[in-house]
Amino acid sequence: AGVGTGGASAPASAAASAAGHDTVGAVALDAQGNVAAATSTGGITAKRAGRVGDSPLVGSGAYADNMAGAVSTTGHGESIMSVCLAHRLVGDMRRAEESERALARPVTELAEESLGYMLERVGGRGGMVAVNRQGDVGHAYTTSRMAWASVRGRANAPVRQSGVNE
């Protein structure tokens, strides 16, 4: 199973997109049960010299743990870093699996709760894509829009889904 995002607050025009302000993220689960996460960013306009964003920081822009799942995030980097957003969701997935309510807690619901926490704590907005170790995929966002896609199943019989949530 795998899922990816094309950016949480995607630009309204092709010119803005060409300027490189989109995040691309991906998460995956392989046939052996290994998970992986990756995040790449186009950056922000007028950033301070020396600023390091959330994308390269493990636990903020992306996080993966074979015991729980994988997450890639996008959005307001300072907010994402403040709450270690990706690590938070992976921890929530691990706790959900360990509890008796595991089947009642879809990945999307957990992602929505993590984003709600970030909005409440630091006023930041973002989006995330995730996969748990059972292969359940989810995505959520609190930005104006987020493009996403997922592929599940075997190479000879994939199940594809995609959308631009607005």
PDB file of all heavy atoms in Angstrom, residues 19-48:
ATOM      1  N   ALA A  19       6.894  28.356  -9.371  1.00  0.00           N
ATOM      2  CA  ALA A  19       7.818  28.997  -8.431  1.00  0.00           C
ATOM      3  C   ALA A  19       8.308  28.015  -7.378  1.00  0.00           C
ATOM      4  O   ALA A  19       9.240  28.311  -6.649  1.00  0.00           O
ATOM      5  CB  ALA A  19       7.134  30.186  -7.757  1.00  0.00           C
ATOM      6  N   GLY A  20       7.671  26.824  -7.274  1.00  0.00           N
ATOM      7  CA  GLY A  20       8.168  25.776  -6.394  1.00  0.00           C
ATOM      8  C   GLY A  20       7.747  25.908  -4.948  1.00  0.00           C
ATOM      9  O   GLY A  20       8.587  25.931  -4.070  1.00  0.00           O
ATOM     10  N   HIS A  21       6.471  25.994  -4.687  1.00  0.00           N
ATOM     11  CA  HIS A  21       5.992  26.116  -3.317  1.00  0.00           C
ATOM     12  C   HIS A  21       5.146  24.922  -2.906  1.00  0.00           C
ATOM     13  O   HIS A  21       4.320  25.040  -2.017  1.00  0.00           O
ATOM     14  CB  HIS A  21       5.192  27.414  -3.150  1.00  0.00           C
ATOM     15  CG  HIS A  21       6.014  28.624  -3.437  1.00  0.00           C
ATOM     16  ND1 HIS A  21       7.021  29.049  -2.605  1.00  0.00           N
ATOM     17  CD2 HIS A  21       6.003  29.470  -4.487  1.00  0.00           C
ATOM     18  CE1 HIS A  21       7.580  30.124  -3.116  1.00  0.00           C
ATOM     19  NE2 HIS A  21       6.991  30.394  -4.256  1.00  0.00           N
ATOM     20  N   ASP A  22       5.316  23.813  -3.528  1.00  0.00           N
ATOM     21  CA  ASP A  22       4.539  22.622  -3.209  1.00  0.00           C
ATOM     22  C   ASP A  22       5.382  21.618  -2.444  1.00  0.00           C
ATOM     23  O   ASP A  22       6.579  21.490  -2.669  1.00  0.00           O
ATOM     24  CB  ASP A  22       4.032  21.941  -4.481  1.00  0.00           C
ATOM     25  CG  ASP A  22       2.959  22.740  -5.178  1.00  0.00           C
ATOM     26  OD1 ASP A  22       2.229  23.462  -4.485  1.00  0.00           O
ATOM     27  OD2 ASP A  22       2.850  22.642  -6.410  1.00  0.00           O
ATOM     28  N   THR A  23       4.722  20.884  -1.567  1.00  0.00           N
ATOM     29  CA  THR A  23       5.344  19.769  -0.876  1.00  0.00           C
ATOM     30  C   THR A  23       4.910  18.494  -1.580  1.00  0.00           C
ATOM     31  O   THR A  23       3.771  18.382  -2.013  1.00  0.00           O
ATOM     32  CB  THR A  23       4.885  19.723   0.594  1.00  0.00           C
ATOM     33  OG1 THR A  23       5.329  20.906   1.239  1.00  0.00           O
ATOM     34  CG2 THR A  23       5.434  18.503   1.317  1.00  0.00           C
ATOM     35  N   VAL A  24       5.806  17.546  -1.682  1.00  0.00           N
ATOM     36  CA  VAL A  24       5.472  16.223  -2.191  1.00  0.00           C
ATOM     37  C   VAL A  24       5.862  15.239  -1.099  1.00  0.00           C
ATOM     38  O   VAL A  24       6.986  15.271  -0.598  1.00  0.00           O
ATOM     39  CB  VAL A  24       6.229  15.900  -3.493  1.00  0.00           C
ATOM     40  CG1 VAL A  24       5.944  14.474  -3.938  1.00  0.00           C
ATOM     41  CG2 VAL A  24       5.859  16.893  -4.584  1.00  0.00           C
ATOM     42  N   GLY A  25       4.929  14.394  -0.714  1.00  0.00           N
ATOM     43  CA  GLY A  25       5.195  13.417   0.328  1.00  0.00           C
ATOM     44  C   GLY A  25       4.703  12.051  -0.093  1.00  0.00           C
ATOM     45  O   GLY A  25       3.826  11.926  -0.948  1.00  0.00           O
ATOM     46  N   ALA A  26       5.276  11.021   0.501  1.00  0.00           N
ATOM     47  CA  ALA A  26       4.865   9.655   0.194  1.00  0.00           C
ATOM     48  C   ALA A  26       5.090   8.765   1.405  1.00  0.00           C
ATOM     49  O   ALA A  26       6.019   8.989   2.185  1.00  0.00           O
ATOM     50  CB  ALA A  26       5.666   9.114  -0.991  1.00  0.00           C
ATOM     51  N   VAL A  27       4.226   7.783   1.543  1.00  0.00           N
ATOM     52  CA  VAL A  27       4.396   6.736   2.545  1.00  0.00           C
ATOM     53  C   VAL A  27       4.140   5.401   1.854  1.00  0.00           C
ATOM     54  O   VAL A  27       3.406   5.336   0.867  1.00  0.00           O
ATOM     55  CB  VAL A  27       3.445   6.910   3.757  1.00  0.00           C
ATOM     56  CG1 VAL A  27       3.809   8.157   4.541  1.00  0.00           C
ATOM     57  CG2 VAL A  27       1.989   6.955   3.338  1.00  0.00           C
ATOM     58  N   ALA A  28       4.762   4.355   2.354  1.00  0.00           N
ATOM     59  CA  ALA A  28       4.613   3.050   1.715  1.00  0.00           C
ATOM     60  C   ALA A  28       4.725   1.928   2.728  1.00  0.00           C
ATOM     61  O   ALA A  28       5.377   2.069   3.769  1.00  0.00           O
ATOM     62  CB  ALA A  28       5.685   2.877   0.640  1.00  0.00           C
ATOM     63  N   LEU A  29       4.095   0.817   2.399  1.00  0.00           N
ATOM     64  CA  LEU A  29       4.182  -0.428   3.162  1.00  0.00           C
ATOM     65  C   LEU A  29       4.512  -1.515   2.150  1.00  0.00           C
ATOM     66  O   LEU A  29       3.779  -1.687   1.165  1.00  0.00           O
ATOM     67  CB  LEU A  29       2.847  -0.729   3.844  1.00  0.00           C
ATOM     68  CG  LEU A  29       2.684  -2.101   4.483  1.00  0.00           C
ATOM     69  CD1 LEU A  29       3.577  -2.238   5.709  1.00  0.00           C
ATOM     70  CD2 LEU A  29       1.223  -2.327   4.857  1.00  0.00           C
ATOM     71  N   ASP A  30       5.615  -2.250   2.351  1.00  0.00           N
ATOM     72  CA  ASP A  30       5.974  -3.294   1.393  1.00  0.00           C
ATOM     73  C   ASP A  30       5.419  -4.653   1.815  1.00  0.00           C
ATOM     74  O   ASP A  30       4.806  -4.788   2.885  1.00  0.00           O
ATOM     75  CB  ASP A  30       7.485  -3.320   1.142  1.00  0.00           C
ATOM     76  CG  ASP A  30       8.317  -3.847   2.300  1.00  0.00           C
ATOM     77  OD1 ASP A  30       7.765  -4.445   3.253  1.00  0.00           O
ATOM     78  OD2 ASP A  30       9.546  -3.663   2.251  1.00  0.00           O
ATOM     79  N   ALA A  31       5.625  -5.649   0.986  1.00  0.00           N
ATOM     80  CA  ALA A  31       5.086  -6.988   1.214  1.00  0.00           C
ATOM     81  C   ALA A  31       5.655  -7.653   2.456  1.00  0.00           C
ATOM     82  O   ALA A  31       5.041  -8.568   3.014  1.00  0.00           O
ATOM     83  CB  ALA A  31       5.341  -7.868  -0.015  1.00  0.00           C
ATOM     84  N   GLN A  32       6.811  -7.209   2.930  1.00  0.00           N
ATOM     85  CA  GLN A  32       7.413  -7.770   4.138  1.00  0.00           C
ATOM     86  C   GLN A  32       6.989  -7.025   5.395  1.00  0.00           C
ATOM     87  O   GLN A  32       7.437  -7.353   6.492  1.00  0.00           O
ATOM     88  CB  GLN A  32       8.944  -7.757   4.035  1.00  0.00           C
ATOM     89  CG  GLN A  32       9.514  -8.772   3.055  1.00  0.00           C
ATOM     90  CD  GLN A  32       9.290  -8.364   1.607  1.00  0.00           C
ATOM     91  OE1 GLN A  32       9.484  -7.213   1.242  1.00  0.00           O
ATOM     92  NE2 GLN A  32       8.851  -9.304   0.794  1.00  0.00           N
ATOM     93  N   GLY A  33       6.153  -6.005   5.265  1.00  0.00           N
ATOM     94  CA  GLY A  33       5.674  -5.264   6.420  1.00  0.00           C
ATOM     95  C   GLY A  33       6.517  -4.072   6.815  1.00  0.00           C
ATOM     96  O   GLY A  33       6.304  -3.480   7.876  1.00  0.00           O
ATOM     97  N   ASN A  34       7.470  -3.691   5.978  1.00  0.00           N
ATOM     98  CA  ASN A  34       8.291  -2.513   6.246  1.00  0.00           C
ATOM     99  C   ASN A  34       7.579  -1.260   5.762  1.00  0.00           C
ATOM    100  O   ASN A  34       6.974  -1.258   4.693  1.00  0.00           O
ATOM    101  CB  ASN A  34       9.648  -2.630   5.540  1.00  0.00           C
ATOM    102  CG  ASN A  34      10.422  -3.833   6.020  1.00  0.00           C
ATOM    103  OD1 ASN A  34      10.706  -3.959   7.203  1.00  0.00           O
ATOM    104  ND2 ASN A  34      10.748  -4.723   5.100  1.00  0.00           N
ATOM    105  N   VAL A  35       7.674  -0.200   6.550  1.00  0.00           N
ATOM    106  CA  VAL A  35       7.071   1.075   6.157  1.00  0.00           C
ATOM    107  C   VAL A  35       8.170   2.092   5.877  1.00  0.00           C
ATOM    108  O   VAL A  35       9.294   1.964   6.370  1.00  0.00           O
ATOM    109  CB  VAL A  35       6.106   1.624   7.239  1.00  0.00           C
ATOM    110  CG1 VAL A  35       4.911   0.711   7.409  1.00  0.00           C
ATOM    111  CG2 VAL A  35       6.819   1.845   8.563  1.00  0.00           C
ATOM    112  N   ALA A  36       7.826   3.088   5.070  1.00  0.00           N
ATOM    113  CA  ALA A  36       8.766   4.163   4.747  1.00  0.00           C
ATOM    114  C   ALA A  36       7.985   5.448   4.539  1.00  0.00           C
ATOM    115  O   ALA A  36       6.807   5.411   4.164  1.00  0.00           O
ATOM    116  CB  ALA A  36       9.557   3.819   3.487  1.00  0.00           C
ATOM    117  N   ALA A  37       8.641   6.565   4.799  1.00  0.00           N
ATOM    118  CA  ALA A  37       8.034   7.875   4.589  1.00  0.00           C
ATOM    119  C   ALA A  37       9.070   8.811   3.993  1.00  0.00           C
ATOM    120  O   ALA A  37      10.262   8.710   4.303  1.00  0.00           O
ATOM    121  CB  ALA A  37       7.530   8.448   5.915  1.00  0.00           C
ATOM    122  N   ALA A  38       8.609   9.723   3.137  1.00  0.00           N
ATOM    123  CA  ALA A  38       9.504  10.715   2.539  1.00  0.00           C
ATOM    124  C   ALA A  38       8.727  12.009   2.333  1.00  0.00           C
ATOM    125  O   ALA A  38       7.534  11.980   2.055  1.00  0.00           O
ATOM    126  CB  ALA A  38      10.033  10.205   1.209  1.00  0.00           C
ATOM    127  N   THR A  39       9.420  13.124   2.485  1.00  0.00           N
ATOM    128  CA  THR A  39       8.817  14.435   2.274  1.00  0.00           C
ATOM    129  C   THR A  39       9.838  15.337   1.598  1.00  0.00           C
ATOM    130  O   THR A  39      10.992  15.373   1.993  1.00  0.00           O
ATOM    131  CB  THR A  39       8.382  15.072   3.609  1.00  0.00           C
ATOM    132  OG1 THR A  39       7.477  14.180   4.271  1.00  0.00           O
ATOM    133  CG2 THR A  39       7.683  16.404   3.387  1.00  0.00           C
ATOM    134  N   SER A  40       9.401  16.063   0.573  1.00  0.00           N
ATOM    135  CA  SER A  40      10.232  17.049  -0.103  1.00  0.00           C
ATOM    136  C   SER A  40       9.434  18.335  -0.200  1.00  0.00           C
ATOM    137  O   SER A  40       8.219  18.311  -0.388  1.00  0.00           O
ATOM    138  CB  SER A  40      10.588  16.554  -1.506  1.00  0.00           C
ATOM    139  OG  SER A  40      11.335  17.533  -2.198  1.00  0.00           O
ATOM    140  N   THR A  41      10.095  19.461  -0.060  1.00  0.00           N
ATOM    141  CA  THR A  41       9.375  20.734  -0.073  1.00  0.00           C
ATOM    142  C   THR A  41       9.941  21.685  -1.113  1.00  0.00           C
ATOM    143  O   THR A  41      11.119  21.606  -1.456  1.00  0.00           O
ATOM    144  CB  THR A  41       9.434  21.400   1.318  1.00  0.00           C
ATOM    145  OG1 THR A  41       8.656  22.596   1.281  1.00  0.00           O
ATOM    146  CG2 THR A  41      10.857  21.734   1.721  1.00  0.00           C
ATOM    147  N   GLY A  42       9.087  22.572  -1.570  1.00  0.00           N
ATOM    148  CA  GLY A  42       9.514  23.642  -2.455  1.00  0.00           C
ATOM    149  C   GLY A  42       9.962  24.853  -1.667  1.00  0.00           C
ATOM    150  O   GLY A  42      10.448  25.822  -2.218  1.00  0.00           O
ATOM    151  N   GLY A  43       9.780  24.817  -0.362  1.00  0.00           N
ATOM    152  CA  GLY A  43      10.216  25.915   0.497  1.00  0.00           C
ATOM    153  C   GLY A  43       9.168  27.001   0.649  1.00  0.00           C
ATOM    154  O   GLY A  43       8.036  26.857   0.209  1.00  0.00           O
ATOM    155  N   ILE A  44       9.561  28.078   1.294  1.00  0.00           N
ATOM    156  CA  ILE A  44       8.670  29.211   1.492  1.00  0.00           C
ATOM    157  C   ILE A  44       9.339  30.479   0.975  1.00  0.00           C
ATOM    158  O   ILE A  44      10.562  30.573   0.929  1.00  0.00           O
ATOM    159  CB  ILE A  44       8.271  29.393   2.975  1.00  0.00           C
ATOM    160  CG1 ILE A  44       9.495  29.663   3.841  1.00  0.00           C
ATOM    161  CG2 ILE A  44       7.492  28.212   3.491  1.00  0.00           C
ATOM    162  CD1 ILE A  44       9.163  30.070   5.259  1.00  0.00           C
ATOM    163  N   THR A  45       8.523  31.424   0.584  1.00  0.00           N
ATOM    164  CA  THR A  45       9.025  32.698   0.094  1.00  0.00           C
ATOM    165  C   THR A  45       9.572  33.524   1.254  1.00  0.00           C
ATOM    166  O   THR A  45       9.000  33.534   2.335  1.00  0.00           O
ATOM    167  CB  THR A  45       7.890  33.475  -0.607  1.00  0.00           C
ATOM    168  OG1 THR A  45       7.375  32.640  -1.649  1.00  0.00           O
ATOM    169  CG2 THR A  45       8.381  34.773  -1.199  1.00  0.00           C
ATOM    170  N   ALA A  46      10.674  34.223   1.011  1.00  0.00           N
ATOM    171  CA  ALA A  46      11.277  35.150   1.976  1.00  0.00           C
ATOM    172  C   ALA A  46      11.661  34.484   3.296  1.00  0.00           C
ATOM    173  O   ALA A  46      11.517  35.070   4.360  1.00  0.00           O
ATOM    174  CB  ALA A  46      10.353  36.334   2.228  1.00  0.00           C
ATOM    175  N   LYS A  47      12.162  33.257   3.217  1.00  0.00           N
ATOM    176  CA  LYS A  47      12.576  32.579   4.452  1.00  0.00           C
ATOM    177  C   LYS A  47      13.827  33.239   5.014  1.00  0.00           C
ATOM    178  O   LYS A  47      14.627  33.823   4.274  1.00  0.00           O
ATOM    179  CB  LYS A  47      12.797  31.096   4.222  1.00  0.00           C
ATOM    180  CG  LYS A  47      14.012  30.767   3.387  1.00  0.00           C
ATOM    181  CD  LYS A  47      14.184  29.271   3.268  1.00  0.00           C
ATOM    182  CE  LYS A  47      15.437  28.966   2.479  1.00  0.00           C
ATOM    183  NZ  LYS A  47      15.731  27.573   2.439  1.00  0.00           N
ATOM    184  N   ARG A  48      13.984  33.132   6.317  1.00  0.00           N
ATOM    185  CA  ARG A  48      15.173  33.676   6.986  1.00  0.00           C
ATOM    186  C   ARG A  48      16.398  32.880   6.572  1.00  0.00           C
ATOM    187  O   ARG A  48      16.324  31.664   6.387  1.00  0.00           O
ATOM    188  CB  ARG A  48      15.008  33.607   8.495  1.00  0.00           C
ATOM    189  CG  ARG A  48      13.988  34.553   9.031  1.00  0.00           C
ATOM    190  CD  ARG A  48      13.981  34.597  10.551  1.00  0.00           C
ATOM    191  NE  ARG A  48      14.532  33.380  11.152  1.00  0.00           N
ATOM    192  CZ  ARG A  48      14.070  32.833  12.247  1.00  0.00           C
ATOM    193  NH1 ARG A  48      13.055  33.354  12.882  1.00  0.00           N
ATOM    194  NH2 ARG A  48      14.621  31.757  12.740  1.00  0.00           N
TER     195      ARG A  48
END
